[in-house]
Amino acid sequence: MSENLLTDNPGLYEQQFPDPDHVAARFTHDVVTRFGGGRALLDVGCGTGRDAGHLASLGYDVVGLDSSERMVRHARAHHPAVGFVLGDMRTFDLGRRFDVITCLDSALLYCHTNADLTAFLDRCRAHLEPGGLLVAEMRNGAFFLGSTELLDGVRTRTVVWEGVSYTSHTRLWIDHAAQLLRRRREWWWPGAQPLVQRSAWRLLFPQELRHFLDHAGFDVLALFDSPGPRTEPPWAPDEPWTADAGLSEALSGDRLHLVARLRP
């Protein structure tokens, strides 16, 4: 196995982060519907393709983009109704425009620098129809201003995939100078040497995100910490929130949800 255990083993990834009820995709569909988005959709950071696949089953014309060759290969095999493309979120050029671009599960936070984030938003502007929606879901940098619960100690988890038990020991800490949430994860499984992986996410704050979006030509329609697919309590399709009510704008929760419209 390679040194990127989850990315290079999509089946293990889905076992580690299950979503059997397609909550993330159904949340996206609800948001797009409530904010008047169209049906041509680009999913940036599509991973295993399960969100893109479910959205296609709901009637969307979906393209998925990911930087992992193995993820794209897995997605193509499991979701043939979707077109999947190997590409970098900062430089992709697909030669067409979409009504909606989604960027879920903190994929946007792999833009570690201001230049990275500016480049991604530039690509979104080039690939959205005027008035198109950008929908993103990510960790909330502001959460760490008042909470250390995710930073306290090492978290251990075991998941069984194809009859093998994989145990991970994960530690998170903040790199203040780089404004990154860094992660060290050590994997153990029978018959193999321990594998250490390191990764990081940009910590973006709500006002900072608003500034980048405004500069890139977007109007923020909603910025909220709940409800969402990874909040507690989680988003549910029957909740009576609307496009302008029922969303928590305290922005102190662990997750941050963005809906922005490209200005004509």
Side-chain angles (χ1 to χ4, degrees):
M1 292 198 181
S2 83
E3 293 188 359
N4 201 332
L5 187 63
L6 290 177
T7 300
D8 286 352
N9 296 277
L12 177 58
Y13 180 95
E14 290 196 339
Q15 194 75 6
Q16 176 85 347
F17 304 111
D19 187 8
D21 297 324
H22 302 287
V23 174
R26 289 163 56 224
F27 165 81
T28 300
H29 171 60
D30 198 357
V31 168
V32 170
T33 301
R34 292 171 191 257
F35 286 91
R39 287 296 181 266
L41 185 147
L42 171 63
D43 185 19
V44 176
C46 64
T48 64
R50 63 185 175 190
D51 296 335
H54 190 72
L55 287 166
S57 76
L58 297 177
Y60 289 83
D61 171 20
V62 188
V63 172
L65 178 99
D66 202 272
S67 62
S68 166
E69 185 175 353
R70 292 196 185 186
M71 284 288 196
V72 169
R73 190 185 312 148
H74 174 93
R76 287 171 176 164
H78 288 80
H79 306 285
V82 178
F84 291 99
V85 180
L86 184 67
D88 188 308
M89 65 191 301
R90 299 163 298 180
T91 59
F92 67 91
D93 185 358
L94 305 184
R96 60 168 292 193
R97 291 181 181 266
F98 299 84
D99 301 315
V100 181
I101 292 178
T102 58
C103 193
L104 306 177
D105 198 20
S106 294
L108 185 146
L109 303 184
Y110 288 111
C111 294
H112 289 175
T113 68
N114 292 344
D116 290 341
L117 184 54
T118 298
F120 169 65
L121 293 176
D122 176 72
R123 292 294 80 211
C124 290
R125 186 172 63 245
H127 286 78
L128 276 173
E129 296 286 359
L133 295 180
L134 172 62
V135 178
E137 184 269 336
M138 69 201 87
R139 287 191 180 275
N140 178 15
F143 171 78
F144 295 95
L145 293 175
S147 175
T148 62
E149 64 181 78
L150 295 179
L151 308 176
D152 296 336
V154 175
R155 284 170 168 74
T156 298
R157 181 179 182 183
T158 297
V159 62
V160 178
W161 177 58
E162 295 186 346
V164 178
S165 294
Y166 295 84
T167 298
S168 59
H169 306 282
T170 304
R171 182 172 70 89
L172 300 173
W173 72 97
I174 294 177
D175 179 341
H176 292 84
Q179 204 171 313
L180 295 175
L181 178 65
R182 294 195 181 275
R183 180 179 70 188
R184 182 188 187 275
R185 175 173 284 161
E186 185 172 294
W187 287 97
W188 294 73
W189 67 95
Q193 293 295 314
L195 175 62
V196 175
Q197 294 178 267
R198 292 177 174 85
S199 55
W201 300 271
R202 170 74 177 264
L203 289 179
L204 283 171
F205 294 88
Q207 289 297 333
E208 179 185 23
L209 186 55
R210 286 182 182 274
H211 173 76
F212 274 99
L213 286 158
D214 178 60
H215 190 266
F218 288 85
D219 292 323
V220 175
L221 305 181
L223 197 60
F224 56 100
D225 52 11
S226 68
R230 296 169 180 82
T231 61
E232 187 56 49
W235 165 87
D238 297 326
E239 290 297 317
W241 64 273
T242 64
D244 58 359
L247 306 178
S248 170
E249 296 180 346
L251 302 184
S252 58
D254 175 39
R255 309 303 295 189
L256 188 62
H257 310 87
L258 164 74
V259 186
R261 189 182 304 280
L262 180 64
R263 289 193 289 265

